[in-house]
Amino acid sequence: MTTPPPEAPAPHVNTVLFQLKWKAELRASGAMTPRVPVQFVAEQGRALRVIDLRDKEELTGIMGHIPGSLWVPLERIAEVARHLDPDVPVVLVSHSGRRAGLAAQYLHALGMRYVAALAGGMIAWRTAGYSTSRRAAPFERSLTAPAFAPEEGPSAGPLTKEHLERHVGDPSQVRWARLSALLMTGRRSCVDGRDEQGVIGTPGGDAGEFLLALAAVERVTGALFDDKTVEEVLFQELEVFGRFYMHTDTHAWETLVAALASDPGLSAHRLPDLKDEAGWHAFVDHPPVELRPTVLERLLEPAHLGCGHLKLMLTRPQDYGVRPDLVRAFLRAYHGLRWQGVPELEFVTLSGVHDEAAVLTVYVEEDLWDMTSIPLVSPSVGPKQVFVAHPQVAAKHRDHYVEFFRRLTRWVKLEPHQVEPLRTEMNAIAATQLGHTLKSLANGLPLFEARFEGTDRVRVVEAGKV
């Protein structure tokens, strides 16, 4: 009797979540050739390999290349399949995307499961406002080179200034985009270190900033928002600013799924198997209309909120200065609009528990204007995590929020003399909330500042502890 082969280990939750995101992007593209958009690639950091297929002269020519990308000329494209695991996500880059699309089809035929072309190629990358480099670095890195050599990585002991200097100085971990591009097509992610993408970080991401802005408007005007107005204002936010980010995490997600699976109000309906991760994501993303009130009730429970900042905002209103009913009104509006098919709303699942080893605050050493280049920094430093905050970018966005609410006369009655007090109130609430969230989630962690002087120079400064 032969012994059956051992079962293959289940993919790590990070891998599963990334694969779901990847497949969603391919479905959204609607193209026969696998393509992923510029914004998706810009935000991924170490989650994927970016490989440029163009001639050597093109990489250092007028168009430049994506910082951190590798160079494999088109005639050697088969090397990618020989050197990389078939499950490694790879994005191929060419001038307009045509050559990369053909190469992606070829590598897929060789067995690579997560390979796609950058939609629109370098033309789209530059048009979207992302920075390029003309250095020869892509020629010097091999396909299999790790970001951290094993003896250098911070796998044991605390994160040091040197670790962070290597991290923020690594172009594969930092992408640059003009502030105007981020305002129109980017997003503000949470400071949460479990997000492996390159992020513009602020507590609670877009959701946290939207709620503090609503709370500031209530304080300044004295008028409270009702559920219908919150939904209207959120929809107008999407019309003006585009993408909108909110996250959960795997612990809150699993708790939510267990609650839904055992909810008597859903017992008469066919639900996914408890282990069917993709099935549950599809169910929560698009529940049947008759089940939405029950699903929404569960989504509003604090135990099912995976964003620590939003959960603290809901459960500690005295510290955060936001009415619990306002938080719940926002959550109802957010999920209600998602279920109506509004595409700008992102619901991201982060994996694991908080295990951040430091707080990293990112500054650009110049006064920001809309054309300033901003670094998107990955919170993954080797195998460790850091909280990442961009206070300058968040404050600049609040300036745009002041104009947004000033012009929203149909739903917000903001008098001219209340405009500057609104700006002051938003920044005051933000500072208070940041202090409470870091004290709750990052107490005792070392503080570092990354101060960028243009795209080529960065200083890391030790700034004490939380």
Side-chain angles (χ1 to χ4, degrees), residues 92-107:
L92 304 176
V93 180
S94 60
H95 181 73
S96 65
R98 186 185 64 82
R99 285 177 290 173
L102 295 172
Q105 291 176 322
Y106 176 68
L107 289 179

Side-chain angles (χ1 to χ4, degrees), residues 182-316:
L182 295 174
L183 290 172
M184 294 302 298
T185 60
R187 65 178 188 180
R188 291 159 297 171
S189 298
C190 193
V191 295
D192 200 305
R194 297 171 295 177
D195 194 332
E196 295 188 329
Q197 302 183 137
V199 301
I200 297 297
T202 190
D206 287 317
E209 289 288 328
F210 182 73
L211 273 166
L212 80 82
L214 292 182
V217 171
E218 287 189 343
R219 286 192 191 183
V220 169
T221 64
L224 304 184
F225 290 103
D226 58 24
D227 282 24
K228 182 61 178 174
T229 306
V230 170
E231 182 175 290
E232 291 285 359
V233 173
L234 177 57
F235 186 75
Q236 293 303 314
E237 145 98 20
L238 303 177
E239 291 280 282
V240 172
F241 296 111
R243 298 171 67 196
F244 190 98
Y245 170 99
M246 188 172 80
H247 80 81
T248 184
D249 65 19
T250 49
H251 176 71
W253 175 258
E254 290 164 0
T255 306
L256 169 66
V257 167
L260 291 173
S262 61
D263 192 306
L266 304 177
S267 59
H269 300 269
R270 184 176 181 181
L271 299 174
D273 183 90
L274 271 176
K275 295 183 179 180
D276 183 2
E277 184 79 18
W280 278 106
H281 276 282
F283 176 78
V284 174
D285 285 346
H286 304 285
V289 173
E290 67 275 14
L291 304 184
R292 290 180 182 179
T294 302
V295 176
L296 186 57
E297 183 180 345
R298 293 295 188 180
L299 284 165
L300 298 185
E301 294 178 22
H304 303 152
L305 290 176
C307 174
H309 182 73
L310 293 187
K311 185 184 296 186
L312 289 166
M313 198 182 286
L314 180 61
T315 57
R316 287 168 43 185

